[in-house]
Amino acid sequence: MYYMPTKIISEENCIIKNSAQLVLGKKALIVTGKTSAVKSGALADVAAALESEAVPYEIYDKIENNPTVECVYSAGLAAKKCGADFIVAIGGGSPLDASKAAAVYAVNDIEPMQIFDGNFKNTPLPIAAVPTTAGTGSEVTPYSILTLTAAGTKRNFTCEDCFPKIAFLDGKYTKNLPLQITRNTAVDAMCHAIESAVSKRSTVLSEYIALETLRLIGQCTDALKSGEFTPEIRQKLLTAATLGGITISQTGTTIVHSMGYQPTFTKDVPHGMSNGLLIGEFLKWCYDSVSEIVDRCMDALGMENVDAFLEYLKEILPCEAVFTAEDVEEFLKISMNAKLAPCPKNVTIDDERGIYMRSLGVI
Ligand code: NAP
Ligand code: ZN
């Protein structure tokens, strides 16, 4: 099966050129983070487009990184209070994911934790998504990943009605993205493609898209190393991230993502970096089961083999966090409950322990 209902418009100035397409109702709530919408220039374009279409809007700019359930619930209440009937989400994966939850809460009187049920009486508000990072692909997924402070981890909810109705891909919004965030988010997109390709849920179509994601990112290797990005490279990374989102919409991710949530939650390691720390050892662990597809992934990326990929990731992902064997034991208590099914081979606690220890420099 293949399903991806989001309309995508991808070109420079696409919001201004297609302002009518941004209009999904009578009043918009713009959901975004503290700075990204302004820094990227996307807020100015969205505001100008809505004004040109005479559509009123309000702005909710309190979305934190790795948003908590409490944070996204507040965004939902803001949408309800202002009477918005559609959402424009601007930002990285955090505001985009938050907008999906807000779209649910705005029209459903549910307790915050009921969002994880995934079935809602009323259809969530429609969302127009404007990514300002090139990584998560949240603009084309039905997933929203939320932080559960009490449980000490992240959990996602999936709702087909939360696929954004439309996504505007304009690489210029990623122009001022700091180098390390550019690298972390590009690595997130790489992980989406690789995890999707080796997943038991991979299909001919999803693998095709995953390999194309990797080919595009592979064309950006020099830029990711040097930190010099042309507008064409920025647009290419954004396109690749969206393709990565399309491919995980079909297959989901694997243990790299569920294991990656713990370094993010406990040591604030950014999402993409956390996955990037783990993906190399994950591939070495499963190589004997899926060597052909791993080789195709490395080939698409332009890497000689998994070892060369690991060296490259070390170069672009300098991680300052320090991990101990005790940290790993704590991580295992949570990570062993998630995303085991799509893995290319059966996972034991010793497998995950080994991947963590080798990846995080504990042994
Ligand atoms: P992010 O958490 O959205 O943003 C990271 C930082 O980058 C924030 O400080 C943000 O500022 C800043 N930023 C964003 N765009 C910018 C720009 N153009 N210029 C300057 N600064 C900018 O990072 P992300 O990696 O894109 O998203 C990570 C989240 O997405 C995680 O919660 C992860 O679990 C989730 N995710 C979701 C999916 C999915 O399918 N739904 C897939 C993978 C990951 P602000 O604080 O102002 O926003
Ligand atoms: Zn991810």
Side-chain angles (χ1 to χ4, degrees):
M1 189 170 86
Y2 175 88
Y3 184 64
M4 207 297 285
T6 306
K7 182 188 283 188
I8 299 170
I9 305 188
S10 175
E11 63 171 320
E12 198 178 350
N13 298 322
C14 54
I15 291 181
I16 296 295
K17 285 183 192 163
N18 300 278
S19 56
Q21 304 237 31
L22 185 64
V23 180
L24 303 176
K26 292 190 174 65
K27 180 168 184 183
L29 181 70
I30 298 174
V31 173
T32 187
K34 294 185 178 67
T35 61
S36 50
V38 175
K39 274 192 203 157
S40 65
L43 181 60
D45 283 357
V46 166
L50 292 173
E51 281 158 25
S52 75
E53 299 294 329
V55 174
Y57 62 87
E58 292 192 25
I59 300 173
Y60 187 88
D61 61 0
K62 298 188 183 67
I63 303 302
E64 59 209 20
N65 293 353
N66 305 300
T68 58
V69 175
E70 294 77 15
C71 167
V72 299
Y73 187 67
S74 300
L77 294 186
K80 194 182 271 185
K81 193 168 161 210
C82 80
D85 61 358
F86 74 104
I87 291 181
V88 181
I90 304 177
S94 296
L96 266 48
D97 281 7
S99 76
K100 296 173 187 174
V104 171
Y105 291 129
V107 290
N108 289 284
D109 289 320
I110 55 173
E111 293 299 315
M113 289 301 284
Q114 282 178 280
I115 194 113
F116 296 105
D117 296 349
N119 289 321
F120 311 110
K121 187 164 159 247
N122 300 315
T123 308
L125 298 182
I127 299 168
V130 184
T132 65
T133 63
T136 70
S138 180
E139 63 277 8
V140 288
T141 74
Y143 312 128
S144 171
I145 300 162
L146 305 176
T147 297
L148 296 178
T149 313
T153 189
K154 297 170 90 176
R155 189 187 299 169
N156 69 305
F157 80 89
T158 304
C159 169
E160 282 198 355
D161 291 321
C162 287
F163 269 107
K165 295 281 173 273
I166 186 160
F168 292 88
L169 307 186
D170 190 338
K172 78 176 180 188
Y173 300 139
T174 64
K175 199 178 87 192
N176 297 326
L177 203 54
L179 174 60
Q180 198 53 52
I181 300 181
T182 303
R183 288 169 162 172
N184 297 341
T185 46
V187 170
D188 190 25
M190 281 182 218
C191 291
H192 293 163
I194 294 171
E195 289 176 65
S196 175
V198 302
S199 166
K200 278 194 178 135
R201 297 182 184 144
S202 174
T203 66
V204 174
L205 275 173
S206 69
E207 181 184 317
Y208 183 83
I209 297 167
L211 291 177
E212 190 54 29
T213 307
L214 295 171
R215 259 189 286 277
L216 287 180
I217 303 178
Q219 291 165 17
C220 305
T221 300
D222 289 345
L224 287 166
K225 283 185 179 176
S226 69
E228 284 165 28
F229 300 94
T230 61
E232 292 72 30
I233 292 281
R234 287 284 185 194
Q235 191 70 32
K236 199 170 273 193
L237 285 170
L238 187 54
T239 305
T242 301
L243 288 176
I246 294 173
T247 195
I248 58 166
S249 288
Q250 315 311 312
T251 60
T253 50
T254 68
I255 56 167
V256 174
H257 266 67
S258 54
M259 292 175 71
Y261 294 154
Q262 316 320 315
T264 298
F265 185 82
T266 58
K267 314 249 174 182
D268 226 10
V269 178
H271 174 78
M273 180 181 281
S274 205
N275 296 326
L277 294 176
L278 298 163
I279 187 89
E281 292 296 339
F282 165 80
L283 288 178
K284 285 182 161 186
W285 165 75
C286 65
Y287 189 78
D288 56 352
S289 303
V290 278
S291 58
E292 284 182 15
I293 179 61
V294 175
D295 289 347
R296 286 202 289 279
C297 289
M298 292 302 108
D299 192 47
L301 261 179
M303 297 289 146
E304 204 175 317
N305 51 35
V306 174
D307 284 324
F309 180 48
L310 252 170
E311 284 308 308
Y312 166 55
L313 291 178
K314 274 192 194 134
E315 186 182 338
I316 64 170
L317 298 177
C319 177
E320 283 166 13
V322 176
F323 300 92
T324 64
E326 290 73 34
D327 290 331
V328 169
E329 292 310 312
E330 289 304 309
F331 295 172
L332 289 169
K333 287 180 192 162
I334 295 168
S335 69
M336 272 315 290
N337 296 323
K339 305 210 176 183
L340 306 180
C343 258
K345 69 183 210 190
N346 287 342
V347 191
T348 67
I349 192 160
D350 284 336
D351 293 331
E352 284 208 0
R353 183 179 288 111
I355 294 171
Y356 268 135
M357 301 280 255
R358 289 187 291 276
S359 302
L360 303 179
V362 181
I363 48 171

